[in-house]
Amino acid sequence: MAAASDASDIALRLDRLPLTRLHLGLVLVCTCAMAAAISEMSLSGALSAIFSTGASKASSGQLSALLSSVYVGAVIGAPLFGWLADRVGRLNMLVATLSWVCLTSLAASFAHDILQLTICRGLAGLALGAMPPLVISLLADMLAPRHRGAATFWCIALSTVGPFCTLMFLRGMATSAWFGGESWRLTFVVLALLCLLAAGAAALLPESPRSLAARGRMADAARSLARFERSPVLPWQGDATAAPVVAGARPTQPRHLIYTLFALSPWATASFTILWGAVLTQRGFALNDALMVVGISMVGPMLGNIVGSMSLDRIDRRHGLAGCSVVMLLSGAVFVSSDITWQVVVAATVFGTVTSIYLSLMNLYAAELFPTEARSRLLASAWALNRVGAAVAPLLLVPLLRNHGPQQMFAVIAGTIVAAIVVTCLSPAGRQRQAVA
């Protein structure tokens, strides 16, 4: 009873803290980690274009394996690293995953053929699959309810600058006489350096007091909390005790609904987007133009999450998810059917925007429902199901695209979006701006 009381006291004190410089450092480190993870994933879209044309053109089987490999790795790595995070510390595992991606990215830059590149991508996926749930779990643990949603949206919004810069850098190097078609190698080296810097910065931060308390390490939790309490308050913050903490009974966990939502979402949010390059080159777009469209579309997620930070935290998570799904249906249909370049660019940007918002909402929704002592494990397990869908989908969608065209391929994706809307309507209310259990 005394341990439970101490854990509740630590959680209450943590939830009443204003934003401090240490919180800001945490959000920035999480932003860098997410930027690295999303950039690595977004490279699949560029690789699908690079290996769909010219001298580097791969067979359908080779391309499907390359695109699926990172998600196959994520299926294995997400639950494993999530389980470890609940036992050895979420911040420790974030450092470990960043270090692992650094090594695998360097290995990918030296790959001699598409088989070796596929293996490197699969190994990178082990850590990449765990990184988003680790970041969301950390933010849910350490941020007060009144700041949690907005700060998470800002973290993801700023992290989407990474994929945009990555793809623009890749395109710029692809047009140079020095690198040309091998520009993806240098891109992997740059991402490895980003992961190394983020891992070093994460190692300087304190572990989650809430997570430590849930594991019975009260002395360590108190020391970690003391660092947050001593940290200078950011200038725009008011009194730490001024804003009440909205509490409530521990919510029920309809895991089957949440897991189903995670399993359905990657067909649209991951697999469709990484095939954009292949869709555009098949429809007659030049490789550089296809890379430009994919790169420009990366601006949308940043703007969308900034808007989300100011508005979507005030409505039920389910309503936001359903609204994003409808917009994905409409913009995706325009992308695969329009022959007008500006419409394709706008549709890709809108789709990318709502996809990023959807993923932010879905992860926040699940993290706020799952209990602290198992948050990383359960969220990572849900994310693993997401990666299963992302791994399986290209194996079916690439042959469908090449044999029947983009419209028929998107019809399958649209069916998964409709199914996700139904599941969303059946799911329980979210816990935005409430204390996590």
Side-chain angles (χ1 to χ4, degrees):
M1 292 297 293
S5 177
D6 290 343
S8 297
D9 179 64
I10 287 173
L12 184 61
R13 288 163 59 191
L14 187 63
D15 284 341
R16 286 182 172 173
L17 283 175
L19 286 178
T20 67
R21 291 181 185 176
L22 202 53
H23 285 107
L24 179 60
L26 170 70
V27 173
L28 291 177
V29 167
C30 287
T31 298
C32 290
M34 284 291 285
I38 300 173
S39 296
E40 283 272 355
M41 290 297 187
S42 70
L43 269 183
S44 293
L47 292 174
S48 75
I50 292 171
F51 289 98
S52 290
T53 186
S56 301
K57 185 174 182 179
S59 66
S60 294
Q62 289 175 322
L63 183 59
S64 297
L66 175 62
L67 298 182
S68 296
S69 59
V70 68
Y71 300 111
V72 171
V75 171
I76 301 170
L80 173 61
F81 285 118
W83 178 81
L84 288 172
D86 285 333
R87 283 156 178 77
V88 304
R90 287 160 193 168
L91 205 64
N92 291 333
M93 289 312 303
L94 183 63
V95 173
T97 54
L98 284 166
S99 301
W100 180 259
V101 175
C102 174
L103 294 175
T104 54
S105 293
L106 286 176
S109 69
F110 291 101
H112 293 297
D113 52 41
I114 193 170
L115 175 60
Q116 291 185 10
L117 180 60
T118 299
I119 294 172
C120 290
R121 294 290 283 165
L123 292 174
L126 292 172
L128 291 173
M131 211 174 294
L134 274 176
V135 166
I136 299 298
S137 295
L138 275 169
L139 295 177
D141 274 3
M142 297 194 192
L143 294 171
R146 63 190 182 278
H147 302 305
R148 184 172 59 234
T152 302
F153 274 110
W154 271 101
C155 169
I156 298 174
L158 294 177
S159 69
T160 57
V161 176
F164 174 75
C165 294
T166 298
L167 292 174
M168 289 298 99
F169 175 82
L170 175 60
R171 183 181 183 275
M173 292 299 99
T175 58
S176 70
W178 189 11
F179 291 101
E182 298 295 299
S183 57
W184 56 270
R185 298 182 184 274
L186 180 61
T187 305
F188 276 117
V189 174
V190 173
L191 290 176
L193 293 176
L194 175 60
C195 290
L196 183 62
L197 291 173
L204 301 176
L205 294 172
E207 185 57 81
S208 162
R210 197 189 309 270
S211 175
L212 289 168
R215 289 152 51 201
R217 296 174 56 182
M218 297 304 169
D220 292 335
R223 283 192 292 269
S224 179
L225 178 59
R227 287 188 60 182
F228 281 97
E229 292 177 330
R230 291 194 304 266
S231 181
V233 177
L234 294 177
W236 61 85
Q237 297 300 302
D239 183 3
T241 61
V245 177
V246 180
R250 169 169 287 195
T252 57
Q253 298 173 39
R255 297 180 190 177
H256 62 289
L257 291 175
I258 296 175
Y259 286 174
T260 301
L261 202 60
F262 272 76
L264 287 170
S265 62
W267 290 77
T269 60
S271 298
F272 182 49
T273 55
I274 66 173
L275 286 171
W276 282 353
V279 169
L280 293 174
T281 54
Q282 179 164 323
R283 296 182 62 197
F285 285 74
L287 175 60
N288 286 340
D289 292 336
L291 292 176
M292 175 63 77
V293 171
V294 174
I296 291 175
S297 69
M298 294 298 160
V299 177
M302 177 182 64
L303 299 177
N305 276 287
I306 291 174
V307 172
S309 71
M310 296 182 290
S311 58
L312 290 177
D313 198 37
R314 300 180 182 276
I315 65 174
D316 194 298
R317 305 284 189 224
R318 299 170 304 166
H319 299 161
L321 291 172
C324 288
S325 298
V326 173
V327 178
M328 281 192 283
L329 281 172
L330 297 176
S331 57
V334 172
F335 180 83
V336 298
S337 60
S338 177
D339 294 321
I340 303 174
T341 302
W342 71 265
Q343 291 183 359
V344 172
V345 172
V346 170
T349 303
V350 171
F351 194 95
T353 299
V354 295
T355 293
S356 183
I357 295 174
Y358 186 94
L359 290 173
S360 302
L361 284 170
M362 184 176 67
N363 280 281
L364 265 173
Y365 175 59
E368 291 166 345
L369 289 178
F370 290 147
T372 297
E373 63 270 15
R375 181 169 295 120
S376 292
R377 175 176 60 83
L378 295 177
L379 188 57
S381 297
W383 193 248
L385 288 176
N386 181 278
R387 302 297 86 180
V388 169
V392 171
L395 301 176
L396 301 176
L397 294 179
V398 170
L400 188 61
L401 170 65
R402 290 190 171 179
N403 296 329
H404 300 283
Q407 287 85 2
Q408 287 76 9
M409 180 195 71
F410 183 71
V412 174
I413 296 170
T416 66
I417 296 176
V418 172
I421 293 175
V422 174
V423 174
T424 301
C425 293
L426 297 174
S427 299
R431 288 177 61 84
Q432 61 279 354
R433 291 181 172 256
Q434 297 181 42
V436 295

